Amino acid sequence: MSKRLTILGATGSIGQSTLDVVRQHRDVFRVEALVANANVAQLAADAREFGARLAVTADPDRYHELKDALAGTGVEVAAGPQAVKEAASCPVDQVMAAIVGVAGLEPTLAAVEAGNTILLANKECLVSAGELFMARARKCGVAVVPVDSEHNAIMQCFERDNAASIEKVILTASGGPFRTRPMETLEDVTPEEALKHPNWDMGAKVTIDSATLMNKGLELMEAYHLYPVTTEQLDAIIHPQSIVHSLVAYADGSVLAQLGTPDMRTPIAVALAWPERLPTNVARLDLTALGQLTFEPINEARFPAPKLALETLRRGGSAGAILNAANEVAVAAFLARKLKFTDIVPLVARVLEAAERRGAIAPLGSLDDVRAADALGRKLARELAEGA
Ligand code: NDP
């Protein structure tokens, strides 16, 4: 029997890589719903190619464009945020949650509440609402399978039955394009330079986050919610080749690592098939051709974001949502050339300090609390960005 699959964020980098894996295994998967936002032409083309039952754009103004593009195909069409949530709630075997940003939180929670297994790429579900999100998943008996290459690697190395013997979970970071660039020139970094990741081909937001290493910070926060570890057990190191995707160190001295060429189709295939395996046609790893793999500590002066993320985890409650919202605003301001590259992470840190001074870091009891923390983070970040 084929697996029914819904993809939230189908037109994005993760969505397209997912469809590429599905393309190789048309007998294994049946596409139920495809959800996107602005790229209606791609959404319609994919809905046709994969014979989706439903295609949804989050933008109500694009309904007619999508409807026209799918005329005569029999694919059902819908638009708007409520339609996105309904698509996420259709009963399927798996939902790939790959909408970018905090916009992905509500649809993914809707998928959880419908009892759908979540293949989680969207970071904000865990960064902004980790405790709430995982508690709902546990309550609904829903598995959350990480797609991000680091967490997917950890999943493959983390022996849950031996969790008490795990000493450290070590995430690897490529170091992005500015690992060796002279520090004094970092404030001149342009969006074009920051958008050129040395190893990975990803969406714009996550690429900038990789250049500041905020992405690693967000991943440390995600790992904390996905695995039974303390903040002291979490570590990150630089590994410029992006071949070792993460490591788990055990009390007996063993260190398990997962390796592979940097191609998201591998962790996507792992998530789609877990705990089984699905063949892909990604380039095979040739260690002798690579010659060497190198590792180095993160220079905190150059890259303050991972430390800030661990501090944010220790602050707990709404701090994650505030950090995430402030970072989204700061990245957008940088891309709009309104903020220097070197001001992105300090601005996020200042937002957290301002929120703390106001006594606004509090436990998250509901989605409304997440929304309020997100709104506060954005507001404070905009005010500070304007003054920067
Ligand atoms: P992209 O920017 O490439 O794609 C984002 C997707 O989300 C698009 O399909 C976009 O639609 C859709 N979208 C945007 N806003 C909405 C909305 N309001 N409602 C519904 N759909 C919306 O992002 P990525 O694929 O790179 O990343 C997706 C998520 O996965 C992010 O959270 C990212 O951090 C995470 N991630 C990505 C990795 C990667 O390698 N790319 C690795 C690990 C995690 P449209 O294009 O039609 O506007």
Side-chain angles (χ1 to χ4, degrees):
M1 237 186 53
S2 56
K3 281 185 178 178
R4 290 160 307 158
L5 172 69
T6 283
I7 306 178
L8 309 176
T11 51
S13 165
I14 294 284
Q16 292 293 295
S17 295
T18 304
L19 285 171
D20 205 33
V21 174
V22 170
R23 197 174 273 120
Q24 288 172 56
H25 299 284
R26 300 292 287 257
D27 52 329
V28 180
F29 300 98
R30 189 150 50 86
V31 175
E32 174 76 9
L34 295 178
V35 174
N37 189 36
N39 193 349
V40 165
Q42 185 68 52
L43 176 61
D46 293 335
R48 274 175 193 268
E49 179 186 346
F50 290 91
R53 187 187 65 74
L54 174 65
V56 181
T57 161
D59 182 354
D61 294 340
R62 295 182 198 265
Y63 174 77
H64 291 291
E65 191 186 340
L66 183 60
K67 184 89 182 150
D68 291 350
L70 287 168
T73 59
V75 179
E76 204 182 306
V77 171
Q82 185 56 29
V84 170
K85 281 201 267 176
E86 280 165 20
S89 312
C90 290
V92 286
D93 296 292
Q94 298 174 318
V95 170
M96 170 60 74
I99 291 174
V100 66
V102 80
L105 176 57
E106 282 194 53
T108 310
L109 269 175
V112 166
E113 265 149 26
N116 294 325
T117 294
I118 307 295
L119 313 185
L120 190 62
N122 171 278
K123 290 180 188 284
E124 291 70 18
C125 290
L126 295 175
V127 172
S128 299
E131 275 148 37
L132 194 89
F133 183 84
M134 293 307 286
R136 293 263 177 102
R138 275 190 296 274
K139 189 166 157 234
C140 298
V142 159
V144 177
V145 184
V147 168
D148 205 346
S149 59
E150 291 78 359
H151 307 105
N152 191 272
I154 296 166
M155 177 177 78
Q156 295 177 65
C157 302
F158 197 106
E159 296 174 4
R160 286 209 178 245
D161 291 344
N162 281 324
S165 300
I166 288 171
E167 282 185 347
K168 284 248 171 232
V169 168
I170 305 155
L171 280 72
T172 53
S174 71
F178 309 127
R179 182 176 56 92
T180 54
R181 179 167 160 152
M183 287 269 281
E184 62 279 9
T185 69
L186 285 180
E187 64 173 13
D188 303 325
V189 163
T190 64
E192 291 72 21
E193 289 170 325
L195 283 168
K196 276 193 209 120
H197 195 280
N199 304 338
W200 295 97
D201 178 13
M202 309 179 287
K205 160 74 171 43
V206 61
T207 305
I208 302 301
D209 286 345
S210 297
T212 59
L213 255 68
M214 180 57 87
N215 187 45
K216 211 49 51 187
L218 301 179
E219 287 172 5
L220 286 165
M221 297 171 78
E222 292 177 274
Y224 176 78
H225 293 295
L226 284 166
Y227 300 100
V229 289
T230 62
T231 53
E232 287 70 30
Q233 285 175 292
L234 287 170
D235 206 354
I237 56 172
I238 290 191
H239 166 47
Q241 298 83 13
S242 297
I243 298 295
V244 176
H245 297 304
S246 279
L247 313 93
V248 178
Y250 288 82
D252 59 10
S254 298
V255 180
L256 302 189
Q258 186 262 351
L259 286 70
T261 46
D263 185 326
M264 282 307 294
R265 289 174 301 174
T266 293
I268 288 169
V270 171
L272 283 165
W274 191 253
E276 291 167 25
R277 297 275 175 180
L278 201 60
T280 71
N281 55 13
V282 304
R284 294 318 192 231
L285 186 57
D286 182 345
L287 286 172
T288 53
L290 272 167
Q292 60 176 350
L293 300 176
T294 59
F295 302 89
E296 56 195 74
I298 292 177
N299 174 344
E300 283 177 8
R302 182 182 288 268
F303 295 122
K307 187 167 174 234
L308 178 66
L310 286 174
E311 283 164 14
T312 304
L313 273 178
R314 291 182 195 117
R315 281 173 159 136
S318 54
I322 294 169
L323 170 139
N324 178 68
N327 183 54
E328 279 195 24
V329 170
V331 169
F334 166 69
L335 287 172
R337 295 173 210 278
K338 291 183 180 150
L339 192 73
K340 281 187 202 158
F341 180 76
T342 41
D343 285 340
I344 298 175
V345 179
L347 186 133
V348 176
R350 284 167 63 207
V351 167
L352 281 162
E353 283 156 19
E356 196 149 46
R357 276 198 304 275
R358 287 177 175 218
I361 296 180
L364 293 174
S366 68
L367 206 49
D368 280 343
D369 293 343
V370 182
R371 287 193 198 100
D374 183 84
L376 177 69
R378 278 171 211 281
K379 179 175 165 289
L380 292 173
R382 282 197 195 99
E383 286 168 9
L384 288 172
E386 270 161 28

